[in-house]
Amino acid sequence: MSSLPSSARVVIIGGGVVGVSALYHLARAGWSDCVLLEKNELTAGSTWHAAGNVPTFSASWSIMNMQRYSADLYRRLADEVDYPMNYHVTGSVRLGHSADRLDEFRRVVGMGRRRDMGLEILSPEELRAIYPFVSTDGLSGALYDPHDGDIDPAQLTQALAKGARQMGARIERFCPATGARREGDAWVISTPRGEIRCEYVVNAAGYYAGQVARWFGRDLPMVVMSHQYLLFDTVPELADWSKEVGHKLPLLRDVDSSYYLRQEKYGFNLGPYERDCRAHWITPDDPFPEDFSFQLYPDDLERLEWHMADAMARVPLLEKAALSRVINGPIPYTPDGNPLIGPMPGVPNAFEACVFTFGICQGGGAGKVLAEWITEGTTEWDMWSCDPRRFTGFEDRDYAIAKGKEIYANEYAMHFPHHVWPEGRMKKLSPVHDRVAALGARFGPYNGWERALWYARPGDDTSEAAQRTWRRDGPWSGAVAGECAAVRDAAGILDLPGFSRFRLRGPGAADWLSRQITGKVPAVGRLGLGYFADDAGRVVTEMSLARLAEDEILLITAATAQSHDREWLRGALEPGLSLTDETDDWATQILTGPKAREVLRIAEADLGRGWLTHQWGRIAGRDVWFARVSFAGELGWELHTRIADTAAVWEAVWAAGQPLGLRAFGMFALDALRLEKGYRAWKGDLSTDYTVLQSGLGRFVDWAKPTFRGKAALEAERENPRPTGFVMLTIDGDRDAPYMASIWHGGRIVGEVTSCGWGHRLGACIGLGMIETALNIPGTEVEIFDRRSPAKVVDGLWDPGNVRIRA
C-alpha cells in the first residue's frame, strides 16, 4: 500500500463517477496535484448499482448542456484513455399520451436544435418502424433522441480514473475520510492512514454527502430514496431481431406511465418511478448505516405491480421474459431533484459535487463544471440550477423528505410554467398572509416564502389540475388582466415577503461597493441599481442600492438570491466593513399605480420626493421606509416595515385605497407588468450566460471609475462587441415562448428568448432575449413548441420615456 501524501492542492472525498470525473477534469485543467479518497473500492456507492442510462433530454438548459457534454465525452473517452467500455448509443423514444406531452417534446426539440442534438418528434407509425414490438394504442406520438443509450457505470468510472492517473492525479482506495478541520488557509482531512493538507476540498460522497457535510457545519437538504429496476432473461424473438438488424432496441420511456424499459443483452431492464415510493434511513428502525458499500435493499415488488403490468401491455414481448434479478438501491435526492455542484455556502475553499439522482448521465458534465468552479472561480454555463446556494437553510429534514418523495413520484412529470407543486409548503409566511389569503390569493413559494401568484375570483378554477397547461389562457388569466388594469388605472398592492436585504457599514463602504459594481453608488438619500460582474464581465447579480449614510448602504435583492448574494458580498468583503443579513426582520409591500400618491395621503411622509429617492415616514403610527421605485412601471413606492408593524400598515393602506380602486395583485401580474417595461429577471434574463453589455446595461457602467471587477473584459468588449445583444420583442400566437426558445431569421437561429409573457396593458405577447445585433429587422420569428411565430423587435413598449413612473 502506497503512503498517503501529506498534502495536495485538492482533496476529493468520494470515489463514485462524479468524484472521479471531477478528478479527471481537474487534471485536464493542469491541476494534477489532486487526491481522491474512497472508503472502499471505486463505485461502491450508488454508481455500482446504477442502471447506466445516458439521456441528453432535459427541460433545463444548463442540465441539458451538462448531459450533452457527458454523452460527447463518453463517446470518445475509451479511445482517449485506452480503456474499453460498453457504451451502447441506441437512441431512445419517449412515449407521449397527450397533446400536452407532445408540446413538452416540441419544446425540448427546439432547445436541442440549438446544440445540433438531432431530436425529433415521431408519429405512432414512425415509432413502430424503429421499435417494432411496441403497442401504439393511446399514443399521440414520441420523442426520438439519437444520442441516448446506456453505459457500464463501473467501466466508465475506471476509464475516468485511468485518465486522471495518466495525468498525474492520485486515487487512494480503502482510505476513508473521517473528518475535516480548518488550519489557517488550509484544510486538514483525516484518514486512518494519516492526515492530508489541501487548499481545496470537495464533498463528492454520494448518499454519504450529508454525513461529510456535517464536518463543515453544513446540513444538506437531501433524502435517500429506494429505486428498483428489474432484469429479465433472454427473449428469443428479441434475440433474433437484434441479430438480424445488428443493433439493440432504442431505450423506451413511457413518461406518462413513469418507467423506462431498455434492452439488456437479449432481455429487458425495467425501471419504474412509482407513486408509492419509499425514503430510507429516516426512521429509528431504519438507521443510517456506517457502511453500505456494494449493498442493496430487500426487494419490494408490490409497489411496482401496476408499472409492470402497464409495461407488459405496452411491449407485449416483455410478458414472455422471465424475471431474473431485482436491483433495489439507494439514490439521493435534493428537494428539487437537481444535484449540488459548486461552492459550499459559508465555507471557504470547499465545494460540493453530490446528491446526484442521475449521476451517470450527468457525471461527465458535472466534473467539468466542478473543475471550472475550482480552477477559474466560475463556469462556462450558468449553473444556478445546481448551485448549492439555491437552498438557504429553511429546508429542514421533513421538507427534504416530502420534496424528495414528490420529485421521485413525478420523475417524468411535465413542468408547466404556472403549476405549483403542493409538497413542502407554508414554510415562511408574510405577516399579512391571512389577510392576503382572505382576498382569494393563490400562493407559490419563493425561497420558501409564500407569495400571492394571483387572486381568484368567484367561479375561477383553483384546482391543481387546472394549473397543468402550456396555454396562456389558464384560469388565472382573467383575474391577472383585472389586476394589471387596476395597476394601470388606479392602484395595486402586492405583498412581497422575503426580499433579501443586507446592510453594509463601515469606513470606506461606499468606495468598496463602487469597486464591486459596474456603475455608480447612489448619493445619500438616493436609490439605484447595482450590477455585479465577474472577471469576464458577465452578470453575476443585480441589487437595489439605497445609500442611507456616507458609509452605510442597504442592498436589496431577490428572495431566491439570498444565499448566493450574501456569499458573493462576503467573499470580497474587506477588513473593517460589516455585512448584516436583515432578510427575516422586514416585510415589504409594493404600492403602485397612478393613484398611489392619493392612497398614501394617510402617510406622514414627503410624497413629493422624486423617483429613486427614499425616506422614513409613518403610517398608522408605525415606522415605514418608503422607497420611490416600482418594478411595475407606474408611479409607486415600496413600503418596508418591521414585521411587528406590517399588519397595521397593510390595513391602513388597504382601507385608504378602497374608495380609489385599490386592488391586490400577485406575482403573475407583476411579471406581465415588468415585461412591458423590459425589466430583466435574475437567473433568466440576467445570468452569467451573458455580459453586462450584452444584457443592454451599458448605462449602468461607469467607465470613468479607475477600477471595478470585470472592467478590463468589458472595455475589450466595448471595442469589439459581442455578436448578440438584448432585445424586446412582440410575438404573435396564442402561447408564450418558453425559456431559451429560439429566435429565427432567414432560416437560421439568431438568438434566444430569456423570458416571455402576455402584456395586459398593451394586449401583446412580450419577449425579452438575445439576438444577433445586426438582425433587428423585419422577418424575425420565435420558435414556440417547435412552431415559428412572427415577431417584431421593438425599442420600447410601455411608457418608454418613464413619464408615468416619474409622475
Side-chain angles (χ1 to χ4, degrees):
M1 182 180 293
S2 62
S3 61
L4 185 73
S6 61
S7 65
R9 197 169 189 183
V10 182
V11 169
I12 298 171
I13 301 170
V17 66
V18 173
V20 178
S21 176
L23 185 72
Y24 170 85
H25 283 87
L26 283 166
R28 278 189 61 176
W31 287 39
S32 58
D33 183 16
C34 300
V35 174
L36 183 146
L37 304 176
E38 165 53 42
K39 68 189 300 183
N40 197 285
E41 181 58 89
L42 295 182
T43 78
S46 292
T47 300
W48 83 272
H49 64 76
N53 299 330
V54 188
T56 57
F57 176 98
S58 177
S60 162
W61 178 247
S62 55
I63 291 177
M64 176 183 275
N65 281 327
M66 189 165 66
Q67 293 178 175
R68 179 185 54 83
Y69 174 89
S70 293
D72 290 345
L73 171 66
Y74 301 167
R75 280 193 289 271
R76 65 177 189 270
L77 182 63
D79 291 337
E80 287 185 2
V81 303
D82 190 25
Y83 191 96
M85 291 190 298
N86 290 320
Y87 183 24
H88 309 111
V89 182
T90 61
S92 71
V93 291
R94 289 175 181 256
L95 307 185
H97 295 245
S98 67
D100 278 341
R101 184 64 79 173
L102 265 290
D103 277 341
E104 180 200 41
F105 292 167
R106 292 185 182 101
R107 178 194 174 191
V108 176
V109 166
M111 289 173 62
R113 190 176 288 115
R114 300 288 307 282
R115 299 297 192 186
D116 298 320
M117 291 172 61
L119 303 173
E120 60 180 301
I121 305 294
L122 304 180
S123 68
E125 294 74 23
E126 291 170 325
L127 169 63
R128 287 274 299 178
I130 64 172
Y131 203 115
F133 304 109
V134 68
S135 168
T136 59
D137 291 349
L139 297 184
S140 55
L143 174 69
Y144 176 62
D145 179 354
H147 300 299
D148 207 335
D150 62 89
I151 197 167
D152 184 302
Q155 291 176 341
L156 168 61
T157 306
Q158 294 296 344
L160 290 166
K162 183 178 181 182
R165 291 186 179 108
Q166 288 172 343
M167 291 181 282
R170 291 188 59 165
I171 295 175
E172 300 293 333
R173 299 173 299 140
F174 304 102
C175 184
T178 57
R181 69 179 187 275
R182 189 80 171 152
E183 287 189 357
D185 293 332
W187 286 104
V188 180
I189 311 302
S190 57
T191 81
R193 290 164 48 191
E195 295 184 337
I196 179 169
R197 301 177 69 87
C198 59
E199 185 177 355
Y200 300 95
V201 62
V202 178
N203 179 359
Y207 51 74
Y208 277 89
Q211 277 61 36
V212 171
R214 294 190 183 103
W215 304 341
F216 301 91
R218 287 271 286 149
D219 187 10
L220 287 193
M222 63 174 290
V223 64
V224 177
M225 300 296 299
S226 153
H227 176 61
Q228 300 181 86
Y229 63 87
L230 294 71
L231 299 176
F232 294 84
D233 272 341
T234 296
V235 182
E237 293 92 331
L238 180 57
D240 293 343
W241 179 86
S242 292
K243 292 172 183 176
E244 179 182 348
V245 300
H247 59 77
K248 295 169 64 175
L249 286 167
L251 196 157
L252 181 149
R253 293 181 180 86
D254 194 328
V255 287
D256 291 311
S257 295
S258 194
Y259 60 79
Y260 61 83
L261 179 69
R262 86 166 193 234
Q263 183 176 337
E264 190 77 18
K265 296 182 180 178
Y266 297 126
F268 286 103
N269 175 335
L270 173 64
Y273 289 93
E274 70 278 13
R275 295 274 179 171
D276 183 22
C277 54
R278 182 177 178 187
H280 270 277
W281 304 331
I282 61 172
T283 58
D285 61 342
D286 184 23
F288 197 91
E290 183 175 340
D291 189 0
F292 203 69
S293 300
F294 297 112
Q295 296 183 55
L296 296 171
Y297 303 129
D299 301 351
D300 191 5
L301 293 182
E302 288 187 9
R303 304 203 315 260
L304 309 185
E305 287 180 355
W306 183 91
H307 299 275
M308 294 169 66
D310 191 79
M312 289 176 180
R314 182 59 60 194
V315 182
L317 198 61
L318 183 60
E319 291 188 90
K320 300 182 179 182
L323 179 62
S324 61
R325 190 180 181 196
V326 178
I327 306 294
N328 186 7
I331 302 291
Y333 273 73
T334 63
D336 63 7
N338 292 344
L340 303 175
I341 315 173
M344 191 181 294
V347 185
N349 287 5
F351 291 81
E352 292 169 346
C354 52
V355 201
F356 281 78
T357 300
F358 298 101
I360 305 305
C361 70
Q362 295 171 358
K368 163 188 156 65
V369 168
L370 194 280
E372 290 169 347
W373 267 125
I374 294 175
T375 63
E376 302 174 30
T378 189
T379 55
E380 177 185 357
W381 316 303
D382 189 292
M383 290 304 300
W384 179 243
S385 63
C386 301
D387 195 315
R389 295 169 294 185
R390 71 190 188 275
F391 298 116
T392 60
F394 77 88
E395 306 89 355
D396 58 22
R397 183 171 176 271
D398 289 343
Y399 177 88
I401 292 170
K403 296 300 290 184
K405 293 175 72 173
E406 182 180 59
I407 293 289
Y408 182 98
N410 295 278
E411 190 61 69
Y412 293 131
M414 291 173 275
H415 293 271
F416 296 101
H418 293 93
H419 176 244
V420 180
W421 293 99
E423 293 295 338
R425 300 294 301 281
M426 303 298 139
K427 298 298 293 183
K428 298 191 231 179
L429 303 181
S430 158
V432 294
H433 179 85
D434 56 340
R435 294 161 175 82
V436 171
L439 295 172
R442 312 308 301 171
F443 293 97
Y446 291 73
N447 188 25
W449 291 98
E450 294 290 331
R451 289 181 178 173
L453 301 177
W454 60 288
Y455 286 83
R457 305 162 303 177
D460 285 339
D461 187 349
T462 59
S463 67
E464 185 192 354
Q467 303 170 12
R468 297 174 182 263
T469 178
W470 301 111
R471 296 185 61 83
R472 177 188 300 139
D473 56 348
W476 54 81
S477 57
V480 172
E483 293 168 26
C484 291
V487 171
R488 179 195 65 201
D489 300 333
I493 186 168
L494 171 66
D495 181 40
L496 199 67
F499 256 150
S500 302
R501 64 177 66 220
F502 311 101
R503 190 178 299 268
L504 174 68
R505 284 183 282 205
D511 291 338
W512 174 84
L513 184 59
S514 179
R515 295 192 296 274
Q516 310 311 311
I517 63 173
T518 61
K520 299 178 184 294
V521 177
V524 176
R526 300 286 297 177
L527 296 156
L529 283 176
Y531 289 93
F532 294 73
D534 64 13
D535 293 334
R538 303 184 304 175
V539 179
V540 172
T541 193
E542 170 197 73
M543 301 187 201
S544 294
L545 315 175
R547 187 84 168 268
L548 305 178
E550 190 61 31
D551 282 318
E552 182 177 3
I553 303 107
L554 185 67
L555 299 94
I556 302 176
T557 183
T560 52
Q562 182 181 7
S563 182
H564 175 280
D565 286 3
R566 183 177 60 228
E567 292 289 302
W568 185 264
L569 292 167
R570 286 181 175 170
L573 205 63
E574 295 176 351
L577 300 180
S578 68
L579 186 77
T580 308
D581 188 337
E582 299 181 354
T583 301
D584 292 338
D585 300 333
W586 295 82
T588 305
Q589 276 75 47
I590 291 177
L591 177 69
T592 185
K595 296 184 180 179
R597 185 174 281 115
E598 294 178 67
V599 175
L600 287 181
R601 285 176 178 169
I602 61 169
E604 300 173 39
D606 180 1
L607 301 180
R609 292 191 184 183
W611 186 37
L612 300 180
T613 62
H614 62 85
Q615 63 181 302
W616 279 99
R618 291 174 70 80
I619 294 176
R622 309 299 178 99
D623 291 336
V624 178
W625 186 66
F626 294 79
R628 178 76 157 75
V629 291
S630 172
F631 200 49
E634 301 283 352
L635 169 69
W637 285 262
E638 291 175 2
L639 308 178
H640 297 255
T641 51
R642 293 179 178 85
I643 298 298
D645 297 329
T646 303
V649 171
W650 168 277
E651 289 173 352
V653 172
W654 184 255
Q658 291 311 288
L660 298 168
L662 177 66
R663 181 167 174 175
F665 69 104
M667 298 301 292
F668 288 175
L670 182 64
D671 192 56
L673 295 163
R674 66 96 185 172
L675 283 168
E676 293 173 314
K677 290 292 293 177
Y679 293 158
R680 285 70 152 174
W682 188 67
K683 290 308 179 188
D685 313 299
L686 300 172
S687 75
T688 55
D689 285 332
Y690 309 110
T691 69
V692 173
L693 295 183
Q694 267 186 301
S695 302
L697 301 171
R699 66 189 184 280
F700 295 100
V701 179
D702 181 6
W703 301 106
K705 291 195 301 184
T707 185
F708 59 83
R709 188 165 185 178
K711 183 179 182 182
L714 292 172
E715 285 180 330
E717 184 181 347
R718 182 171 57 164
E719 295 301 317
N720 295 286
R722 296 192 180 221
T724 60
F726 174 81
V727 291
M728 294 181 68
L729 301 156
T730 56
I731 307 169
D732 292 350
D734 63 354
R735 299 192 184 192
D736 298 330
Y739 177 66
M740 297 308 288
S742 294
I743 303 174
W744 289 76
H745 193 281
R748 64 186 183 91
I749 297 174
V750 297
E752 63 269 1
V753 173
T754 53
S755 61
C756 182
W758 184 257
H760 293 277
R761 287 179 298 195
L762 292 163
C765 179
I766 313 300
L768 310 184
M770 293 286 166
I771 193 172
E772 292 182 16
T773 51
L775 292 172
N776 294 356
I777 56 178
T780 303
E781 297 176 301
V782 172
E783 184 176 338
I784 302 175
F785 299 107
D786 205 27
R787 298 182 181 94
R788 297 185 208 172
S789 296
K792 180 181 179 182
V793 176
V794 294
D795 293 330
L797 289 169
W798 185 254
D799 188 28
N802 287 329
V803 174
R804 295 172 70 92
I805 204 170
R806 295 175 184 268

